[in-house]
Amino acid sequence: MTPLTPYTFGTMSLGRNPADIAQDLVVARRAMEAGVWFHSSPTYNQGFTFMVLRLAFDENRDRVPRMVIKVRDASVALMRFEVEDSCRRLGLDAIDVAQLVSMDPRPGNLVDQLRSGGPLADELASLRERGLIRQAVLFLTPENSDAAVEATKSGLIEGVILYWNAWQCDCSDTAWAAIREKGISTLALRTLGGGPSDQASSAKSEDLAELIKAAGCRHSTEFNLRLAASEPVIRTTIGGTASLAHLEDYLKAATNTAPLSAEILQRVDLLRVR
């Protein structure tokens, strides 16, 4: 898979107030200046995230970042529209990495077709042949992860993407073992947000704070970047913000991604399975 920056700027917080995007543009410009990859979706903030990005991109086309973009894939028409529309709205020649969201859970969906053939797999091949998708990753859930890992053999998928952090690894144990064994390129979502994101993980906040301190990290952003650097299959970590100060924390932490000690990693494993 093409090399990604250790930190990828998540854009989901941009455009929340479309009447006042001045600060959002400042943040987007700074991330562009830093040369990091961007992650986005045409659905973020009812499309206003793309508005902010297009305005920032048009100011300096030489700095337009490499991008991971979500692509909805429940039908051939939707997949084709999503790809063509994203390129048109952002002024891109192609999507560098398409995040295929595997949105249809029923049998015969994209993951199944990547293993056995079908119109969705054919459309993905066509979009790649047209040069509109350069590479692609499959979004993993605990339910689809085993089949999705097998689907990477299709030749149409370069890797996987999932929610992955100190308290969460959103795939089956067998799928994660296969990802590690095969060295499948993995993009980590919800890695840098600063803390647990749901009720189950919130219960682990105190234990996580102790781990961060024991690791000698200044804050959770540094800890999570170093955690990702400790896992060979993780190619980038995706963290979103609309705060310039928070972005600077991300960028600074990304310059020092020394792996965590074996002891800390063992404690992370215990935190995940608890």
Side-chain angles (χ1 to χ4, degrees):
M1 190 172 189
T2 189
L4 289 87
T5 48
Y7 164 64
T8 292
F9 173 54
T11 65
M12 66 287 292
S13 297
L14 304 182
R16 286 180 175 171
N17 179 9
D20 183 6
I21 61 170
Q23 183 60 25
D24 288 348
L25 286 170
V26 170
V27 174
R29 292 183 193 117
R30 176 66 183 107
M32 290 169 63
E33 176 187 297
V36 296
W37 279 59
F38 279 36
H39 175 276
S40 196
S41 168
T43 62
Y44 285 159
N45 296 308
Q46 299 175 314
F48 288 113
T49 296
F50 266 26
M51 177 187 73
V52 173
L53 294 179
R54 180 60 188 261
L55 288 170
F57 293 175
D58 283 351
E59 289 178 355
N60 190 349
R61 278 281 147 188
D62 291 335
R63 286 283 191 176
V64 172
R66 305 287 295 275
M67 295 198 70
V68 182
I69 298 179
K70 287 185 183 180
V71 173
R72 290 174 293 176
D73 50 31
S75 70
V76 167
L78 182 58
M79 182 191 296
R80 183 185 306 134
F81 174 82
E82 195 95 318
V83 171
E84 293 175 345
D85 189 57
S86 292
C87 291
R88 179 170 53 247
R89 288 169 63 191
L90 294 175
L92 303 176
D93 294 329
I95 295 174
D96 294 294
V97 176
Q99 175 187 331
L100 301 165
V101 298
S102 310
M103 63 189 299
D104 186 354
R106 296 170 296 181
N109 60 17
L110 174 62
V111 173
D112 288 345
Q113 290 187 32
L114 286 169
R115 294 184 296 161
S116 59
L120 288 171
D122 291 343
E123 180 60 28
L124 176 57
S126 174
L127 290 165
R128 295 188 61 134
E129 289 169 5
R130 291 170 60 193
L132 294 179
I133 291 178
R134 295 192 174 108
Q135 296 189 315
V137 293
L138 278 172
F139 177 67
L140 299 189
T141 66
E143 293 74 26
N144 81 352
S145 54
D146 290 291
V149 168
E150 184 180 346
T152 60
K153 300 176 183 178
S154 67
L156 295 172
I157 301 297
E158 278 73 28
V160 297
I161 185 168
L162 77 164
Y163 292 126
W164 186 94
N165 48 53
W167 55 87
Q168 184 178 23
C169 182
D170 251 8
C171 66
S172 72
D173 290 342
T174 54
W176 186 243
I179 288 168
R180 282 174 151 175
E181 179 184 352
K182 300 175 187 299
I184 296 172
S185 295
T186 303
L187 284 62
L189 289 163
R190 198 179 286 166
T191 307
L192 303 175
S197 56
D198 54 35
Q199 185 174 0
S201 54
S202 292
K204 303 174 182 178
S205 294
E206 187 174 330
D207 290 335
L208 180 58
E210 291 178 4
L211 269 180
I212 293 171
K213 182 178 180 181
C217 295
R218 293 174 295 116
H219 43 54
S220 59
T221 298
E222 179 183 341
F223 179 83
N224 285 316
L225 269 163
R226 290 183 60 190
L227 176 63
S230 305
E231 178 53 69
V233 297
I234 299 294
R235 300 291 183 255
T236 191
T237 55
I238 300 165
T241 185
S243 162
L244 185 60
H246 199 191
L247 175 62
E248 293 294 353
D249 282 341
Y250 287 155
L251 297 174
K252 183 176 181 180
T255 64
N256 176 26
T257 53
L260 297 169
S261 69
E263 178 188 355
I264 295 295
L265 294 176
Q266 289 173 358
R267 291 175 64 180
V268 169
D269 285 341
L270 290 173
L271 187 66
R272 283 188 181 139
V273 301
R274 190 176 302 173

